[in-house]
């Protein structure tokens, strides 16, 4: 999504290719929105393992804050994209990969330039923040592996064990 978003906005490509890339980006984003919905339900309704006992109090606080920020960013990303295309002065439809699944636009904002600009700014600012959060998230996994010898990937995957 980062690569397609930056490429479709900045690359020197034809309008037709740009349109196609926009459609792919939007469709993938809508699929992500649904995947995210499933993820949030799983997170709410199933067991989440405690953070490892090797973590200090401040490690735990930082990890929780990072996770909350990650959730906020990944929710804001597709929602701001959806708001942006719903308010776009071009009023182009959004299809989810095949032309017969037309994703509805948010009602009440059609062709509203001001809302489009706000959503556009939220979209790229959040994308930048999300980029740093992802780097921090991966960095933390590597750091804790080296510092405490814990494999945090275990608690993110099916093999997660109670601790
Ligand atoms: C889940 C995550 C998503 C990520 C990580 C993401 C990421 C990005 C990035 C990095 C850009 C380039 C920002 C810029 O330079 O202006 C972008 C642009 C864009 N995104 Fe997304 N996006 C996501 C979801 C969506 C969704 C769901 C939609 C619409 C349904 C959408 C619609 C757009 C549009 C229309 C642009 C072009 C904005 C412009 O013309 O400046 N995005 N996206």
């Amino acid at each position: 999504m980062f690569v397609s978003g930056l490429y479709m906005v900045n690359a020197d490509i034809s309008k037709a290719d740009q349109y196609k890339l926009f459609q792919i980006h939007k469709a993938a984003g809508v699929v992500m929105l649904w995947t995210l919905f499933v993820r949030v339900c799983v997170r709410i309704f199933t067991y989440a393992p405690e953070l490892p006992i090797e973590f200090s109090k401040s490690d735990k606080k930082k990890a929780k804050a990072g996770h909350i920020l990650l959730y906020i960013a990944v929710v804001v990303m597709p929602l701001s994209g959806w708001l942006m295309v719903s308010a776009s002065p071009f009023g182009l439809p959004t299809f989810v990969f095949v032309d017969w699944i037309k994703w509805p636009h948010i009602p009440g904002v059609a062709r509203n330039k001001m809302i489009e600009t706000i959503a556009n700014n939220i979209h790229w600012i959040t994308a930048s923040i999300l980029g740093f959060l992802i780097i921090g998230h991966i960095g933390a996994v590597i750091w804790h592996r080296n510092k405490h010898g814990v494999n945090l990937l275990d608690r993110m995957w099916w093999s997660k064990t109670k601790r």
Side-chain angles (χ1 to χ4, degrees), residues 1-10 18 22 25-33 36 73-86 88 94 103 105 116 120-121 123-128 130:
M1 293 305 283
F2 284 110
V3 174
S4 68
L6 290 171
Y7 186 79
M8 72 191 194
V9 171
N10 300 304
Q18 193 182 36
F22 265 65
H25 182 86
K26 292 193 294 179
V30 169
V31 172
M32 274 180 201
L33 186 61
L36 191 59
V74 291
V75 169
V76 169
M77 267 333 288
L79 288 184
S80 58
W82 187 17
L83 182 60
M84 183 186 354
V85 293
S86 303
S88 167
T94 296
W103 180 248
H105 283 166
E116 195 223 12
N120 188 313
N121 284 326
H123 203 63
W124 74 259
I125 290 169
T126 310
S128 315
L130 181 58

Side-chain angles (χ1 to χ4, degrees), residues 25-92:
H25 182 86
K26 292 193 294 179
V30 169
V31 172
M32 274 180 201
L33 186 61
W34 280 102
T35 316
L36 191 59
F37 177 73
V38 174
R39 169 62 198 156
V40 171
C41 289
V42 169
R43 182 65 182 79
I44 292 171
F45 297 114
T46 67
Y47 159 77
E50 288 299 319
L51 288 167
I53 40 172
E54 291 86 351
F55 272 36
S56 66
K57 262 194 175 163
S58 99
D59 285 340
K60 285 186 182 168
K61 268 192 193 155
K62 279 186 251 169
K64 289 219 162 112
H67 297 162
I68 290 168
L69 287 174
L70 268 169
Y71 271 111
I72 293 173
V74 291
V75 169
V76 169
M77 267 333 288
L79 288 184
S80 58
W82 187 17
L83 182 60
M84 183 186 354
V85 293
S86 303
S88 167
F90 298 117
L92 294 173

